[in-house]
Amino acid sequence: MIPPKERIQREQIPMPEQEPNERIYNFKEVPLGYTQEQAIYEAQRCLQCKNAKCVPGCPAEINIPKFIEKIVEEDFTGAYLEILKTDDLPAMTGRVCPQEEQCQQVCILEKQGKPIAIGRLERFVADWARENNIHGKLPKVSKKEQKIAIVGSGPAGLTCAADLAKLGYEVTIFEALHQPGGVLVYGIPEFRLPKSIVEYEVKEIEKLGVKVITDFVVGTTKSVDKLTQEFDAIFLANGAGAPRFMNIPGENLNDVYSANEFLTRANLMKAYLFPKYDTPIKIGKRAATIGAGNVAMDSARTALRLGAEKSYIVYRRSRKEVPARLEEVHHAEEEGIIFNFLTLPVKVLGDDKGNVMGMECIKMKLGEPDDSGRRRPVPIPGSNFVIEVDMVIDAIGTSANPIVARSATGVEINQWGYFIIDDNTKATTKEGIFAGGDIVRGSATVISAVGDGKVAARAINEFLSSDKSLRKSK
Amino acid sequence: MYKIVKKEKLHEVIHSIWIEAPEVASSIQPGQFIILMITEKGERVPLTVADFSREKGLIRIVFQIVGKTSEELSTLEEGDKLFSFIGPLGKKTEIKNYGKVITVGGGTGIACIHPITRALKEIGNEVTSIIGARNKELIIMEEEIRKVSSELIVTTDDGSYGRKGFVTQVLKEFLDKDKSINKVWTIGPPIMMKVTCEATKPYSVDTIVSLNSIMVDGTGMCGSCRVTIGGESKFVCTDGPEFDGQLVDWTEFMNRLSRYKGSEKKSWDLYHEHTHTCTYGRGAN
C-alpha cells in the first residue's frame, strides 16, 4: 500500500496521444490509452474515500473506488466485472463521457487540480478485457415471459436493453439504420470512438439475449401503436434526430451540410474510405463549421482529415461560452482548427451551379445576459465580411424527429416535439411506454442517455412486476 | 431476408426486381419509397416502389443503370440477397376520388406511377395515363399501366412507337379539350417533371411531382434531400416525396442532384476497370 501522503503528491498521468501533425492525416484514435503500468500508477493515487463522491457523480452508477482498487491489485478481470455490474458500454463511456463534469468533478483530488483520471482507467479496463477475451457472465435469473420493445439502439436503448435482459426479460431493439449504435456509429467519429469498439460492445449486449432488428423504422415499418399489441412495455429512445439549420439565404447550396449528414456520410457510411466504400463526401479546401459544441468539433476535425486546407469554427458567442468539452476544443486547436468567435453567418454565397463560394458573416459583441444566463451576442452594424470557403457545415443542434411520436397514440409531446415524461421513472403519458435519451432531453450527452436507460429499465421492471389488475385500474 | 425472387430485364439498361421484404410490404402505400444497400460497403439508394404484394410479402422496384450502384444491382440474380432494405419511407400519395385525373410517367417514372394510377382508379377516378420515352425500346410496363388506367396514351420522342413527341403535348391536348380534369401526377426525370409543370401551369390544374433527391438515412435525420418548396426548405424524405410541382425550386433541386457528379463518375469508372479486369484480365498484373 502506498501511503496516502505519497498518493496525494503524485501527479495525474497524462493520456498518451497521437501527435497532431500525424493524426490530421488519418482517422485513427487520438488518445492511445494507458499502458498497464500507467493504469496501475494512476489507480494507486485513488484515496479510496469511505463516502466516495464519485459514485453518485456517475449516471451509470459504477462503483468507481472498487474497480480502481481492483486495478491496483492488478486484477483487471475483477475490475471489468465490477464495471459491468452497472455499465455495459464501458469502452464507450470511458471514451466519450464528460468525466470532468461528473465523477472527476466531485473527486476529492479535484480541489488540487488533479482528480483521478477515472475515464481513462475505465477505458483501460474495458480495452484490456476486450483484448484478453474476458467476458461478463449472464446473471442467473429465471426467464420472464414479458416482452419489451426498445426503439433505437443508441446509448439509452442499449443500456436499457442490457439491464432488462439481465433481469430475465425478452428484449427486442428496433433500429432504423442498417447498423446498431445510433449516434455512436453515425455521429461520433472514428478518431474519438472506433466503430469496431461499438460493434464489440453491442455484440456483448446481444450475448445477454437481446435481439437487435436493424432496417426497421418504428413509425413507418410498424407503428408504436402496433408494437403495444405485441409487447408488454416499450422504451422509446429514438434520439433527437432532425438537424437544425440557420435559415439564412444560400443554405440549400450544394455543399452546405448538416453535421448529421456530414458525419453520417463519414462515419456510418465510411465515406472517408471512398471509393472503397461507395458513399461520396465533399472534400472541401476551406470548410466552415457553424457552432461550437462537440458535434461542431467533430465536424471541423473530420473536414480537416478529409483534406481541407483550412477548417474553421464559426461561433456567435465568445470562447468562454463554447459548449464543447475542453478536451475537444484543445484537440481541435492542436490540429490547427481556426476559431472565429463572435461571428454570425448571415448568408452563404454561391455560383449559378450551386457551388459554395464563401460565407458572409457579421461581427458580434457581447451584450446583456440572456435567458440562458450567458451574455447575449449582438451584431455590430456594418461589420459584415466574407470568409472564403467552399463548404459549410451546420452544427447548431438538432430538433425532435416526429416519425416515432406520430405513430404513438396517447404518448404526449411538448412544444418542441420531445416526449413528456415523469423524471423519476421515465414513464410517458401512456401506461407501459417509457422514453429517454435525446428524444426527451434534446441534444445531450451519451452518459445522460445511459443514465436514462438505467432509470427506465428499473421502472419497467417495477411496472411489469406489479399486479396487473392494479395496473389496469390505474 | 431481402432476397431477390424475380428479375426481369425490361430494356438493356432498365431492370425490374421483386424483393422479399414482408414487413415493408405489409405497410407500404402508393407513392412511398424504400432505401436499399447492395453490400455493407454500398450506398443507401432511395427508390420509389413500382409494385408490391402484401400476401407474398414482396416489393418490386424498377431501376435504370445510371452509375456504379445501379449497374451492380443489375448484376444480381434471383436468389441473391441485398444487405439492407428499409421502408416504407415518405408520405403516401393522397388517394381519393378527384373525378378525372391524369398520371404522366417518363423513363423509370413510368414504374413509379403504376401503383398510384392503380390506387386512383380503384377508388373511382377516371384515370388517363400518359407514358413516354425516347424510343419504343424504352417504353416499359405498358400492359401493366394499361390494365390499371381508364385510358393509356404512349409517346416516343422519335415516333418509333405510339404518338411522336413529348408527353407534355398529349397532356396539353387533354387539358385543352377537357376542363374537368382535376389533378395531374407526373413522375420522371427532373427536367420532364419541370416541363410538365410548366405545361399545366396555364390551366391551373394541381400538378403533383415525386422527387428523388440524394438521401442518406431517408428518415429525416440528415437533411441531404432538402429542397425549397414555395420558399420554404423541406425534406423530401419526410415531407415528400410528393410535392406541388408548381412550388418546387427546380434549379436548386437539379443543382443538388449533381452534387456528387465527380465522385459518381470516378466510382463507376473504377467499377468498370475492375469488372473488366475480372472478366478479361485475369493474371494480367
Side-chain angles (χ1 to χ4, degrees):
Chain A
M1 276 279 275
I2 294 152
K5 204 176 160 189
E6 197 196 318
R7 293 192 218 174
I8 295 171
Q9 277 167 354
R10 275 193 191 176
E11 294 300 320
Q12 194 190 60
I13 303 252
M15 185 64 138
E17 285 175 350
Q18 231 197 115
E19 288 301 320
N21 56 4
E22 222 175 88
R23 70 190 191 224
I24 57 168
Y25 299 109
N26 67 55
F27 276 81
K28 287 186 208 139
E29 205 174 1
V30 171
L32 303 169
Y34 278 167
T35 60
Q36 200 162 302
E37 292 68 35
Q38 287 171 322
I40 295 167
Y41 188 90
E42 179 67 21
Q44 285 168 342
R45 291 176 55 231
C46 176
L47 298 173
Q48 293 291 323
C49 308
K50 281 247 156 58
N51 288 311
K53 291 194 170 124
C54 51
V55 180
C58 174
E61 303 163 13
I62 299 172
N63 189 333
I64 295 165
K66 204 158 175 193
F67 97 76
I68 292 183
E69 193 179 24
K70 300 270 185 199
I71 299 178
V72 176
E73 291 165 1
E74 299 187 32
D75 173 13
F76 306 129
T77 303
Y80 181 60
L81 296 179
E82 181 56 45
I83 295 173
L84 274 196
K85 281 183 187 166
T86 63
D87 181 3
D88 285 274
L89 306 168
M92 283 190 254
T93 48
R95 282 170 168 82
V96 302
C97 264
Q99 290 97 5
E100 66 281 1
E101 294 169 16
Q102 287 164 331
C103 52
Q104 291 177 197
Q105 191 183 42
V106 288
C107 173
I108 198 92
L109 290 171
E110 161 65 28
K111 291 197 183 86
Q112 297 176 38
K114 46 182 187 187
I116 303 298
I118 299 167
R120 293 173 194 164
L121 291 176
E122 184 190 16
R123 168 181 164 166
F124 165 76
V125 170
D127 288 358
W128 184 90
R130 191 176 64 253
E131 282 150 19
N132 289 281
N133 208 15
I134 305 295
H135 304 276
K137 281 193 191 89
L138 190 61
K140 281 201 178 96
V141 286
S142 53
K143 287 274 161 214
K144 295 188 171 69
E145 277 179 12
Q146 290 124 316
K147 295 186 340 187
I148 297 150
I150 293 185
V151 181
S153 65
L158 288 173
T159 302
C160 189
D163 282 10
L164 288 167
K166 286 190 211 164
L167 291 169
Y169 290 103
E170 196 184 320
V171 186
T172 308
I173 300 182
F174 294 97
E175 167 56 47
L177 291 167
H178 55 275
Q179 232 179 67
V183 71
L184 305 168
V185 293
Y186 75 73
I188 302 175
E190 181 77 15
F191 56 83
R192 278 220 290 139
L193 179 62
K195 299 311 143 213
S196 57
I197 287 175
V198 183
E199 228 170 90
Y200 178 85
E201 293 200 327
V202 171
K203 286 232 168 78
E204 290 295 292
I205 289 175
E206 284 181 281
K207 282 188 196 157
L208 299 174
V210 173
K211 194 171 160 195
V212 181
I213 299 180
T214 51
D215 296 329
F216 197 105
V217 189
V218 171
T220 67
T221 309
K222 198 173 264 182
S223 66
V224 174
D225 290 348
K226 274 201 181 142
L227 288 181
T228 57
Q229 294 161 16
E230 297 167 27
F231 292 88
D232 299 286
I234 300 176
F235 180 52
L236 305 174
N238 48 302
R244 265 194 219 148
F245 291 91
M246 298 277 293
N247 293 320
I248 56 173
E251 225 174 3
N252 282 2
L253 287 165
N254 295 357
D255 303 316
V256 182
Y257 286 87
S258 73
N260 270 5
E261 179 185 357
F262 188 66
L263 293 174
T264 301
R265 281 180 183 274
N267 301 327
L268 175 73
M269 305 309 294
K270 296 203 166 27
Y272 68 94
L273 296 174
F274 179 88
K276 220 175 126 195
Y277 281 70
D278 290 339
T279 303
I281 196 165
K282 163 85 176 180
I283 311 289
K285 279 205 165 61
R286 293 157 165 258
T289 300
I290 308 171
N294 289 327
V295 174
M297 300 304 140
D298 286 346
S299 303
R301 295 172 71 196
T302 297
L304 195 71
R305 281 163 174 74
L306 284 169
E309 287 157 17
K310 291 216 160 89
S311 182
Y312 302 95
I313 286 279
V314 178
Y315 182 49
R316 67 195 178 114
R317 299 180 192 258
S318 73
R319 177 181 287 271
K320 235 181 95 191
E321 287 86 19
V322 166
R325 278 182 82 183
L326 266 181
E327 185 186 317
E328 302 309 322
V329 178
H330 170 70
H331 280 150
E333 282 186 316
E334 272 186 345
E335 290 169 10
I337 304 292
I338 304 156
F339 285 75
N340 287 288
F341 294 112
L342 292 167
T343 305
L344 178 75
V346 292
K347 190 179 183 181
V348 186
L349 311 166
D351 65 12
D352 58 357
K353 293 213 166 62
N355 301 308
V356 171
M357 308 298 281
M359 186 163 77
E360 188 183 324
C361 300
I362 190 162
K363 277 279 167 201
M364 310 290 275
K365 62 179 180 199
L366 290 179
E368 294 301 308
D370 61 13
D371 296 345
S372 68
R374 299 178 295 181
R375 291 179 66 190
R376 186 193 302 275
V378 202
I380 303 170
S383 66
N384 295 44
F385 68 103
V386 172
I387 309 183
E388 253 183 64
V389 291
D390 58 2
M391 71 178 292
V392 173
I393 304 161
D394 272 313
I396 55 168
T398 53
S399 53
N401 185 328
I403 288 186
V404 172
R406 266 186 212 148
S407 80
T409 313
V411 183
E412 283 170 32
I413 51 174
N414 65 17
Q415 55 178 313
W416 299 284
Y418 298 117
F419 292 118
I420 297 171
I421 54 151
D422 173 338
D423 263 343
N424 299 318
T425 62
K426 310 294 168 197
T428 66
T429 52
K430 184 165 180 176
E431 195 182 59
I433 301 187
F434 300 75
D438 279 2
I439 196 57
V440 167
R441 299 168 173 270
S443 320
T445 57
V446 168
I447 190 64
S448 52
V450 166
D452 286 357
K454 296 196 79 63
V455 175
R458 210 168 290 149
I460 289 171
N461 181 40
E462 270 171 38
F463 168 71
L464 293 178
S465 314
S466 68
D467 193 335
K468 257 196 177 159
S469 56
L470 269 176
R471 263 196 275 144
K472 275 183 184 151
S473 64
K474 207 166 122 186
Chain B
M1 278 283 256
Y2 320 145
K3 194 166 79 178
I4 295 173
V5 296
K6 194 177 172 195
K7 182 186 172 183
E8 255 178 294
K9 207 180 202 180
L10 306 181
H11 175 269
E12 200 54 46
V13 295
I14 303 178
H15 296 249
S16 157
I17 52 176
W18 285 90
I19 298 143
E20 212 172 71
E23 295 278 12
V24 183
S26 72
S27 47
I28 197 134
Q29 298 288 342
Q32 290 185 304
F33 65 95
I34 56 91
I35 282 189
L36 63 79
M37 285 172 81
I38 302 173
T39 65
E40 189 211 338
K41 292 181 177 173
E43 296 176 275
R44 292 173 66 92
V45 188
L47 289 159
T48 304
V49 297
D51 205 347
F52 49 87
S53 163
R54 294 201 206 288
E55 306 75 51
K56 293 181 187 156
L58 302 177
I59 298 280
R60 182 190 191 185
I61 55 161
V62 171
F63 60 94
Q64 183 165 355
I65 298 171
V66 290
K68 189 221 162 169
T69 301
S70 44
E71 181 162 346
E72 195 180 354
L73 189 57
S74 76
T75 65
L76 298 187
E77 299 298 339
E78 288 171 10
D80 286 345
K81 285 176 180 172
L82 300 175
F83 171 72
S84 167
F85 192 87
I86 72 160
L89 299 171
K91 289 186 175 163
K92 57 185 179 187
T93 306
E94 221 186 312
I95 301 289
K96 54 181 186 187
N97 198 338
Y98 298 93
K100 281 188 193 169
V101 298
I102 296 181
T103 56
V104 185
T108 51
I110 297 173
C112 305
I113 64 155
H114 173 248
I116 297 170
T117 306
R118 180 172 60 198
L120 285 166
K121 174 118 190 301
E122 272 171 8
I123 209 166
N125 289 283
E126 188 183 324
V127 195
T128 302
S129 297
I130 307 169
I131 61 174
R134 283 206 310 279
N135 55 48
K136 185 184 176 185
E137 283 68 42
L138 286 164
I139 295 289
I140 55 166
M141 294 176 72
E142 183 188 347
E143 281 322 303
E144 283 153 292
I145 301 279
R146 192 186 309 280
K147 230 185 264 173
V148 297
S149 318
S150 314
E151 186 185 4
L152 171 72
I153 318 288
V154 182
T155 72
T156 52
D157 300 359
D158 65 358
S160 54
Y161 187 63
R163 290 267 308 266
K164 183 176 170 14
F166 300 120
V167 284
T168 43
Q169 288 164 355
V170 179
L171 176 62
K172 273 189 191 171
E173 285 168 24
F174 269 89
L175 293 173
D176 274 329
K177 69 178 182 210
D178 190 345
K179 299 292 168 205
S180 62
I181 292 160
N182 284 319
K183 211 158 173 128
V184 173
W185 274 261
T186 172
I187 309 179
I191 190 70
M192 169 244 170
M193 292 193 282
K194 182 186 177 214
V195 173
T196 318
C197 290
E198 282 163 6
T200 60
K201 200 170 183 184
Y203 303 91
S204 329
V205 53
D206 271 1
T207 309
I208 304 296
V209 296
S210 178
L211 304 181
N212 194 6
S213 308
I214 296 175
M215 295 184 187
V216 186
D217 67 295
T219 62
M221 193 262 276
C222 83
S224 177
C225 63
R226 64 195 191 280
V227 57
T228 301
I229 305 290
E232 227 183 296
S233 192
K234 297 275 185 194
F235 286 7
V236 171
C237 67
T238 49
D239 299 315
E242 293 187 4
F243 292 102
D244 178 344
Q246 305 299 355
L247 300 178
V248 175
D249 181 336
W250 291 103
T251 309
E252 179 191 282
F253 175 66
M254 287 189 242
N255 275 342
R256 285 186 67 82
L257 274 178
S258 70
R259 267 194 292 168
Y260 296 108
K261 244 185 184 163
S263 303
E264 283 160 2
K265 186 177 180 308
K266 186 175 173 186
S267 193
W268 206 7
D269 287 348
L270 273 171
Y271 180 73
H272 282 157
E273 233 171 72
H274 175 75
T275 45
H276 181 82
T277 312
C278 289
T279 320
Y280 308 106
R282 270 192 200 118
N285 292 330

